[in-house]
Amino acid sequence: MHAVLESSQFILGKTVERFEARFAEYCESPYAIGVNSGTSALHLALLAAGVGAGDEVITVPFTFIATVAAIRYAGATPVFVDIDPRTFTMDARGLEAAVTPKTRAILPVHLYGQPAHMDPIVDFARTRGLVVIEDAAQAHGARYRGRRVGSIGGLACFSFYPSKNLGACGEGGAVVTSNPEFARKIRMLRDWGQESKYRHVLPGFNYRLEALQGAALGVKLPYLDGWNARRAMAAECYSKFLEGSEVRAPELARDRTHVFHVYAVRCQNRGSLQSRLASEGIQTGIHYPVPVHLTPAHADLGYSAGDFPESERAASEVLSLPMFPELSEVQIRTVADAVRAAAGVAEPELCGIEA
Ligand SMILES: *Cc1c(COP(=O)(O)O)cnc(C)c1O
């Protein structure tokens, strides 16, 4: 970061290129293009895939709003399919009913850090000539059947928002792809559609990654696998301590690794559990309380309550417990005990053997 300040090369440049090369290698894919947010990454991936006005893109309603916003930036219409309640990710069985002659791309989300079940999605896309774009904003480093997320679809989008598993010291994002033509187009689109200085061949954007962010990300990247492993250990610990309690721990699909951007349990009495935990100084979150098809911002799509029952049920049941790599076992135990106590489940009693 000091070298960036010394050089005054604040936007793109060598520092960003070095990070892009390392991040592509990390994702086991040939190209990574740094941009200024995960949302911009999604927008440019859609444009590179040829998505535009009049097209449809199939995605899930149980996601962060940015997934859907990006589809609309591209001028396309989001078409939703429901989630698999076990993994909170796209249920490929919904694709057949959602596809139309206008469909151009499928955008599964690796929600909470667990990859979507990609093989049936990729197979379906192949037979229909559709592009698969992974929303990997929560899943840096996760694997699906041995493959890193980012290397499975035609394009994949990452966010480096500070709270993500790999976070910048500000905003940042990247598109990862194995397709050189997509990579070339995205590199131009992020910088005013320039092929070379002032030769604007595409209607582009100011979506460039800052060099200070590239520098910070480059320093942090070697720690990512270690941090992800700590998150997974913390998750395992939570799930063990929560056994027999009223909340349901997340399910792990055996053919995937989960990097636990979020550790979300399901519970029936979320409001009271959340306030009990808050009263004991334990902060929790809800990712996300309203599925996108029911948000006022996208009411014009014409969906209504009951259209995607699994997404709606998840939105009303999930509660995210504290999750970060530095969590200690004592902290995890404290949270788990508070969850059990709040639900009226007694802590295991001492046996009363005298000293
Ligand atoms: C964070 C996130 C985004 C958007 O990333 P930003 O960098 O905040 O623009 C998109 N999709 C999902 C699933 C996210 O979690």
Side-chain angles (χ1 to χ4, degrees):
M1 292 180 86
H2 201 86
V4 169
L5 294 173
E6 290 275 307
S7 75
S8 297
Q9 170 67 276
F10 289 115
I11 313 284
L12 298 176
K14 288 226 153 28
T15 314
V16 166
E17 284 168 24
R18 200 176 316 128
F19 169 68
E20 287 173 334
R22 287 181 189 162
F23 191 64
E25 190 184 350
Y26 179 83
C27 293
E28 300 172 1
S29 188
Y31 307 102
I33 304 99
V35 292
N36 63 346
S37 74
T39 309
S40 301
L42 287 162
H43 185 192
L44 296 191
L46 287 157
L47 294 181
V51 172
D55 292 335
E56 292 175 354
V57 177
I58 301 175
T59 191
V60 286
F62 192 57
T63 181
F64 181 54
I65 194 94
T67 315
V68 176
I71 294 170
R72 306 207 78 179
Y73 292 174
T77 304
V79 172
F80 297 116
V81 299
D82 213 348
I83 55 164
D84 179 336
R86 292 166 301 178
T87 58
F88 301 105
T89 57
M90 181 178 278
D91 186 341
R93 290 173 305 176
L95 292 173
E96 193 67 57
V99 77
T100 77
K102 293 181 182 169
T103 310
R104 191 98 193 202
I106 307 177
L107 211 177
V109 182
H110 304 315
L111 201 75
Y112 299 156
Q114 180 160 231
H117 188 17
M118 293 298 289
D119 279 351
I121 296 170
V122 170
D123 288 346
F124 184 88
R126 192 173 296 129
T127 62
R128 307 287 175 136
L130 309 173
V131 181
V132 175
I133 302 172
E134 301 171 61
D135 184 338
Q138 303 190 356
H140 322 63
R143 287 185 189 275
Y144 171 78
R145 300 188 167 170
R147 286 170 283 158
R148 272 258 155 93
V149 304
S151 69
I152 305 164
L155 296 135
C157 303
F158 292 86
S159 165
F160 304 124
Y161 184 79
S163 69
K164 301 288 160 88
N165 289 35
L166 179 63
C169 298
E171 305 272 4
V175 184
V176 170
T177 182
S178 59
N179 181 319
E181 193 46 39
F182 288 163
R184 199 180 68 89
K185 212 163 162 191
I186 291 162
R187 244 181 239 117
M188 290 196 281
L189 285 170
R190 74 173 166 184
D191 191 17
W192 295 121
Q194 298 182 99
E195 190 180 61
S196 56
K197 186 106 179 147
Y198 300 135
R199 256 187 66 82
H200 303 277
V201 297
L202 292 171
F205 303 85
N206 175 359
Y207 280 177
R208 298 168 302 225
L209 182 63
E210 295 187 352
L212 284 171
Q213 305 309 337
L217 291 163
V219 171
K220 292 176 78 174
L221 182 58
Y223 296 90
L224 179 56
D225 281 339
W227 288 332
N228 282 345
R230 298 261 328 184
R231 285 174 184 267
M233 271 164 55
E236 203 181 319
C237 213
Y238 264 135
S239 299
K240 186 173 158 219
F241 291 153
L242 290 171
E243 242 170 61
S245 81
E246 299 237 304
V247 305
R248 263 168 58 203
E251 287 186 41
L252 300 184
R254 259 185 297 161
D255 55 357
R256 292 161 241 187
T257 64
H258 191 322
V259 294
F260 287 99
H261 174 59
V262 166
Y263 182 90
V265 297
R266 281 187 190 259
C267 51
Q268 300 308 318
N269 51 350
R270 182 170 66 190
S272 59
L273 176 55
Q274 192 172 29
S275 41
R276 276 287 296 272
L277 293 176
S279 73
E280 296 186 36
I282 297 166
Q283 190 187 32
T284 54
I286 299 172
H287 303 92
Y288 298 91
V290 182
V292 180
H293 70 287
L294 300 181
T295 58
H298 298 289
D300 61 315
L301 293 173
Y303 290 104
S304 47
D307 285 344
F308 303 103
E310 292 303 345
S311 294
E312 291 165 31
R313 190 171 305 126
S316 71
E317 290 181 357
V318 290
L319 183 69
S320 310
L321 302 184
M323 172 53 77
F324 47 91
E326 298 80 7
L327 266 178
S328 71
E329 184 160 352
V330 170
Q331 288 173 315
I332 296 165
R333 179 72 199 225
T334 303
V335 173
D337 285 349
V339 170
R340 300 170 75 102
V345 177
E347 281 177 42
E349 298 238 357
L350 294 175
C351 301
I353 297 170
E354 291 197 27

